[in-house]
Amino acid sequence: MSKRSADAADEQSAALKAGERPITEYPADEVGEFEDEYEDEFESEDEILEAGVDGRPDAEREEEEREAMDVDKQTFIPGRTKLAPGEVLSPDPTTYNMLHTLSTPWPCLSFDIVRDNLGDNRKTYPATVYAVAGTQAEGKRAKENELMVLKLSGLSKMERDNETDSESDSDSDDDSEAILEHKSIPLGSTTNRIRAHQTPNQSGDYSKPPQTITATMLENSQVVIHDVTPHLTSFDVPGTILPPSANKPLSTLRMHKSEGYALDWSPLQPLGKLLTGDNDGLIYVTTRTEGGGWVTDTRPFTGHKSSVEELQWSPNEKNVFASASSDGTVKVWDVRSKSRKPAVNVQVSNTDVNVMSWSNQTFHLLATGADDGQWAVWDLRHWKPSATSAATKASPVASFDFHREPITSIEWHPTDDSVVAVGSADNTVTLWDLAVELDEEENRDAAMQEVPPQLLFVHYMDSVKEVHWQAQMPGTIMATGGGGFGVFKTISV
């Protein structure tokens, strides 16, 4: 705020009580000029017209509006506008219903949310989320890497200035700090990817929680499978002491000769069926037997010319899966194939296809994210088998090049087949609604042509690696990055 100097009258005037008017004293033999107390409020008509609607000349007001428009043209757009040295972005709290950041001893490249028994469609606060993650301790401390079983609790709702007393009272613990608890399982190597799977309790006692198992792809090329059920249970049973045997893997898979990042559990195989892919372009299937053993088919699926970056089982066909590769293709496979070759082979990018997500609501929709920052949605009904091994071309249903850095994560909303969450190396998590369209008139009037109308929300997060929806808490997202974990819910979804 600019300073103003006091004039002579200000210096001579004493402080006045509220409501008092200054009184001018006149000599006894001189009569003061009559003062109209409304004189300042009602000037001539000419002055009223010149002042305009807000008491200022129209020219002055219009100049200010033009300056405001110039500022709008410089609005910060993630992925477009570069931060100056020392500048940081701060979130607007009015755009979030919930926003928390929690840190771990080591950053985590990958994590997965674990389904809990707290109920579906949860909208009350403070909220609780269970998850599993793998750490990235490097160099001489690589042996300190671990699988972390997490409980995030006390996740409170954002405070609102206009919130009523009854709304505040309904969430009495909202002011408490978020809490991150964890149980550790030693791994000895960096985690490239981790995924959780739940299977019905083998005892047949439905009062007991389902068994939660994890598969972790390590930098040393091994895949380790753990039962983390006791670790999850221990959070809610005070005094629980886990024996060393609880940290031992159920199985260690050694079929891969190179490290990999692609990993997925079948949602249609309750006991557990696992896909793994490596940097040599090989894909293996491992199945859990009735007796609890693990059997890997030694015949890999082959066809990719470079590393397999992502694997996804079909949400509705138990023998079908898709793979994405740094060779720019997405292939669709049938596990019953004796040739171990893809049924469909489509070139979807000229760069690495880093991530992929198969819609759980509309089974023929597949979303991909590439190294050039572009992400796209594909209709699998338009993909046709090829008579040769060469990849065919296809046109996406929708594609977006808003991001300027590689796409690092992508996931469909669990219940809304038009909403997608995207993580990018440009330090953002973006939310998109494919159902939004602008008509021609709106498009002409749009101020920011480079921002697609389907873009709902941009959340800033350092070095975003992976993003997942919490399916039991509508609209809630958890993400991992260089600064730890973020859990948030926006007003947009």
Side-chain angles (χ1 to χ4, degrees):
M1 180 181 293
S2 60
K3 295 181 179 179
R4 63 179 180 87
S5 59
D7 56 27
D10 289 338
E11 294 174 354
Q12 296 174 3
S13 63
L16 298 175
K17 294 182 181 179
E20 291 184 346
R21 297 173 60 88
I23 300 175
T24 305
E25 296 183 359
Y26 298 93
D29 58 349
E30 184 177 330
V31 178
E33 183 180 345
F34 174 75
E35 181 178 349
D36 182 357
E37 65 174 321
Y38 299 107
E39 182 179 4
D40 292 339
E41 296 184 21
F42 295 97
E43 305 293 350
S44 69
E45 289 186 6
D46 291 340
E47 288 180 86
I48 294 176
L49 292 174
E50 181 184 350
V53 295
D54 59 357
R56 296 178 298 159
D58 289 336
E60 179 182 336
R61 188 179 62 260
E62 290 170 359
E63 177 63 24
E64 184 176 305
E65 290 174 354
R66 280 194 295 271
E67 291 176 359
M69 291 178 66
D70 291 339
V71 171
D72 286 343
K73 292 178 182 178
Q74 299 174 12
T75 299
F76 183 91
I77 304 176
R80 299 289 194 279
T81 313
K82 297 295 184 181
L83 287 173
E87 287 185 333
V88 294
L89 292 179
S90 297
D92 179 358
T94 64
T95 62
Y96 293 87
N97 287 324
M98 178 174 65
L99 176 61
H100 294 279
T101 300
L102 303 99
S103 60
T104 53
W106 294 101
C108 299
L109 173 69
S110 180
F111 78 101
D112 201 9
I113 293 176
V114 177
R115 182 176 176 82
D116 56 52
N117 60 358
L118 300 179
D120 295 334
N121 201 33
R122 303 201 300 266
K123 298 179 181 178
T124 58
Y125 297 90
T128 299
V129 176
Y130 295 86
V132 291
T135 62
Q136 273 191 299
E138 298 178 343
K140 295 180 180 180
R141 305 186 68 177
K143 293 296 182 182
E144 298 180 19
N145 276 298
E146 56 191 15
L147 188 163
M148 301 180 70
V149 185
L150 307 172
K151 178 183 179 182
L152 295 74
S153 58
L155 302 173
S156 58
K157 182 172 61 174
M158 298 293 289
E159 293 184 357
R160 294 282 187 265
D161 292 337
N162 59 351
E163 194 172 53
T164 63
D165 291 339
S166 61
E167 289 174 329
S168 299
D169 293 342
S170 64
D171 299 319
S172 57
D173 296 329
D174 269 7
D175 294 333
S176 62
E177 290 291 329
I179 301 171
L180 174 60
E181 303 171 74
H182 78 276
K183 306 293 181 181
S184 299
I185 298 175
L187 291 177
S189 183
T190 297
T191 295
N192 289 346
R193 187 69 58 89
I194 186 170
R195 291 291 180 263
H197 175 72
Q198 290 186 327
T199 185
N201 193 286
Q202 298 300 300
S203 66
D205 185 354
Y206 293 100
S207 65
K208 294 183 178 181
Q211 184 185 37
T212 302
I213 54 179
T214 61
T216 310
M217 292 200 77
L218 301 176
E219 192 176 45
N220 63 12
S221 79
Q222 295 180 0
V223 180
V224 289
I225 299 173
H226 289 89
D227 181 358
V228 298
T229 311
H231 303 77
L232 290 166
T233 304
S234 69
F235 288 125
D236 304 311
V237 183
T240 299
I241 299 177
L242 297 172
S245 59
N247 292 338
K248 292 184 178 180
L250 299 177
S251 182
T252 300
L253 310 178
R254 297 181 173 87
M255 63 281 192
H256 293 286
K257 304 308 176 186
S258 65
E259 67 174 313
Y261 293 84
L263 180 71
D264 196 37
W265 290 101
S266 170
L268 304 177
Q269 300 282 356
L271 281 179
K273 196 162 190 173
L274 182 68
L275 284 170
T276 55
D278 61 30
N279 287 354
D280 292 333
L282 303 180
I283 301 169
Y284 288 91
V285 177
T286 301
T287 306
R288 190 183 192 184
T289 66
E290 293 284 348
W294 298 87
V295 177
T296 300
D297 192 326
T298 57
R299 301 170 299 154
F301 291 88
T302 61
H304 282 297
K305 298 176 181 178
S306 189
S307 61
V308 179
E309 299 294 320
E310 183 78 273
L311 288 164
Q312 288 267 292
W313 284 99
S314 165
N316 68 324
E317 295 186 52
K318 67 178 184 179
N319 294 313
V320 176
F321 71 90
S323 61
S325 170
S326 55
D327 63 15
T329 68
V330 169
K331 304 182 192 300
V332 181
W333 314 71
D334 189 322
V335 295
R336 298 166 296 184
S337 169
K338 294 181 180 180
S339 68
R340 318 305 271 180
K341 298 296 183 182
V344 178
N345 181 15
V346 178
Q347 189 80 31
V348 301
S349 176
N350 293 323
T351 62
D352 300 5
V353 184
N354 296 329
V355 289
M356 176 174 61
S357 180
W358 207 320
S359 172
N360 288 315
Q361 297 295 309
T362 305
F363 301 143
H364 59 264
L365 292 181
L366 188 75
T368 59
D371 220 42
D372 59 2
Q374 187 174 75
W375 73 275
V377 177
W378 308 85
D379 188 336
L380 297 180
R381 296 173 300 181
H382 299 159
W383 289 13
K384 304 302 181 183
S386 174
T388 66
S389 59
T392 60
K393 295 285 187 178
S395 297
V397 175
S399 64
F400 302 93
D401 59 359
F402 173 77
H403 292 284
R404 289 291 186 260
E405 299 292 335
I407 304 299
T408 58
S409 187
I410 191 166
E411 188 168 287
W412 288 95
H413 188 286
T415 58
D416 189 335
D417 61 1
S418 69
V419 176
V420 181
V422 177
S424 171
D426 63 11
N427 301 323
T428 64
V429 175
T430 52
L431 306 183
W432 302 75
D433 188 348
L434 302 179
V436 175
E437 293 183 3
L438 280 183
D439 60 33
E440 292 183 2
E441 183 175 350
E442 288 177 311
N443 204 26
R444 284 196 300 271
D445 295 339
M448 296 188 295
Q449 296 288 338
E450 291 188 352
V451 179
Q454 294 82 6
L455 180 60
L456 289 181
F457 198 91
V458 179
H459 172 78
Y460 179 82
M461 186 175 187
D462 181 44
S463 302
V464 181
K465 298 299 183 183
E466 208 165 89
V467 179
H468 296 299
W469 298 92
Q470 213 297 358
Q472 295 175 273
M473 297 163 55
T476 300
I477 286 178
M478 183 171 175
T480 185
F485 289 100
V487 183
F488 62 93
K489 176 178 168 59
T490 75
I491 61 174
S492 304
V493 179

